[in-house]
Amino acid sequence: VFAGLFAGLVSSFLTVPCDTVKTRVQTAPDADYATSPRLVASFADEPPSEIRDTVLAMMAQEGVVAFTKGWTGRVARVAPTMAITLLVYEQLQHAFGVVSEAPLLGPFL
């Protein structure tokens, strides 16, 4: 159970920044994050990239904290789900005889 909670916590922590950028790209109106003159000028030599524009705009407008928005809700959803998934997986292994040792829940029930 604790391994599943920890796995959910770590996976959420590592994936939230990418998921936040993805969500902003998907929900932003066209060129919403690249309207700052400073950002537009910085892309004069390179073709625009929605992801790069979004990341730079998030950093300029909101700082590093912008990449952690939604982390609490994601952990609240993912960590218990991972704990239950691993618990059920271990119990099914034991029920079908795939694992010969006693289930890990023994002392906790």
Side-chain angles (χ1 to χ4, degrees):
V1 173
F2 296 112
L5 285 171
F6 185 71
L9 180 78
V10 171
S11 68
S12 294
F13 180 75
L14 294 175
T15 60
V16 161
C18 293
D19 192 50
T20 302
V21 171
K22 173 199 63 118
T23 301
R24 298 265 181 117
V25 168
Q26 289 177 337
T27 60
D30 292 338
D32 185 41
Y33 285 105
T35 56
S36 158
R38 189 183 71 159
L39 289 175
V40 172
S42 68
F43 301 135
D45 299 334
E46 300 176 24
S49 162
E50 274 189 89
I51 294 173
R52 183 183 61 215
D53 296 350
T54 302
V55 168
L56 291 175
M58 287 172 67
M59 285 294 293
Q61 295 169 10
E62 302 172 60
V64 177
V65 177
F67 297 98
T68 62
K69 289 184 177 180
W71 186 74
T72 307
R74 188 174 177 104
V75 167
R77 180 181 61 88
V78 172
T81 301
M82 290 299 297
I84 292 168
T85 299
L86 288 176
L87 175 66
V88 169
Y89 175 73
E90 289 174 358
Q91 295 300 312
L92 287 174
Q93 278 186 325
H94 180 70
F96 288 113
V98 176
V99 178
S100 60
E101 69 248 17
L104 294 177
L105 273 185
F108 298 109
L109 287 178

